[in-house]
Amino acid sequence: MTPDTSTARVWDLPVRLFHWLLVALLGFSWWSGEHHDMDWHRLSGYTILALLVFRIYWGFAGSRNARFSQFVRGPRAALAYLRTLGKRPYQAADGHNPVGGWSVIAMLAMLVVMVTAGLFAVDVDGLESGPLADYVSFDTGRAAAEVHHLVFNVLLALVVLHVLAVLFYLIGLRHNLVAPMIHGRRKTGATAVAARLGASPWKAAIGVAIAVGFAYAVSKGFRF
């Protein structure tokens, strides 16, 4: 029996888990913050921190399409890609396209800033604070809280743009970006040859250990 070459693997399991866990945790972080349930809010933030550490690690040690070197391109490549959107039929990129790659970097950067600010944040009364707030002054902690809130709003705007882009690809280009992020595969045509992603379970396990260990250390304020 010959293997089915009509589909190819695009996203490995760690990338897909990161994506959907992040979606769920951002929603939960917003809910817990709005309801002033700071114990759950902090726990959600520590989990997001672990996810970010893992994703940055996986961007260097992960599978082919997960690596930053595969999808981070210069402005010229991004502009050249935008010009191809008017051509039919649309040719899907193997992984993130150059514009989508910059979207990923922007979201990761905002997440890092938001989580970092939250670690140093202090509320108005000084009753609730991040685990690293003792390392800065009260005024700096308050400024961190403001940055934490502001960047979350910026992140929401990026999420809206991301959703609109997904809808544009689905409706305008007849290209489904959501399904591959669920099952990891995309249609390539009957004659396409699927390239291996090269995802290593051992490297993934090492990344999880690093991420969990770092987030735990931060949650304790680096005091043991």
Side-chain angles (χ1 to χ4, degrees):
M1 181 180 295
T2 59
D4 180 14
T5 58
S6 62
T7 63
R9 290 189 63 199
V10 181
W11 304 119
D12 59 41
L13 182 61
V15 167
R16 286 178 279 144
L17 285 176
F18 167 82
H19 182 276
W20 295 114
L21 285 174
L22 185 60
V23 170
L25 285 167
L26 283 175
F28 183 75
S29 291
W30 170 83
W31 179 87
S32 57
E34 287 293 307
H35 288 79
H36 306 287
D37 193 336
M38 299 313 296
D39 288 338
W40 282 111
H41 189 74
R42 278 190 289 267
L43 181 59
S44 181
Y46 299 146
T47 309
I48 292 175
L49 173 62
L51 286 176
L52 288 173
V53 171
F54 177 83
R55 184 63 185 90
I56 293 171
Y57 163 86
W58 203 239
F60 295 97
S63 62
R64 184 184 73 252
N65 289 344
R67 298 193 178 210
F68 298 129
S69 59
Q70 190 275 343
F71 61 82
V72 178
R73 297 288 184 265
R76 185 174 299 178
L79 290 173
Y81 171 77
L82 288 174
R83 295 190 190 100
T84 67
L85 292 181
K87 299 179 180 179
R88 297 294 186 275
Y90 171 73
Q91 297 295 321
D94 182 20
H96 291 300
N97 61 65
V99 175
W102 281 108
S103 174
V104 171
I105 295 300
M107 287 191 180
L108 288 177
M110 290 298 100
L111 284 164
V112 168
V113 173
M114 182 186 72
V115 171
T116 302
L119 297 175
F120 293 93
V122 180
D123 71 355
V124 175
D125 300 321
L127 299 177
E128 296 286 352
S129 61
L132 305 183
D134 289 343
Y135 292 100
V136 299
S137 66
F138 177 79
D139 289 341
T140 301
R142 287 300 303 141
E146 294 294 331
V147 170
H148 183 68
H149 179 73
L150 174 63
V151 173
F152 180 75
N153 290 330
V154 174
L155 188 62
L156 285 181
L158 290 176
V159 169
V160 170
L161 288 175
H162 178 68
V163 172
L164 291 176
V166 169
L167 291 175
F168 167 76
Y169 276 83
L170 180 62
I171 299 172
L173 301 180
R174 298 291 190 271
H175 182 63
N176 192 333
L177 295 174
V178 177
M181 194 55 71
I182 295 174
H183 51 62
R185 307 186 73 87
R186 68 172 173 84
K187 294 181 180 179
T188 60
T191 60
V193 178
R196 292 180 59 84
L197 288 180
S200 168
W202 290 108
K203 288 182 179 180
I206 291 171
V208 169
I210 292 172
V212 172
F214 182 78
Y216 178 79
V218 168
S219 73
K220 298 299 182 182
F222 296 107
R223 297 184 181 91
F224 301 98

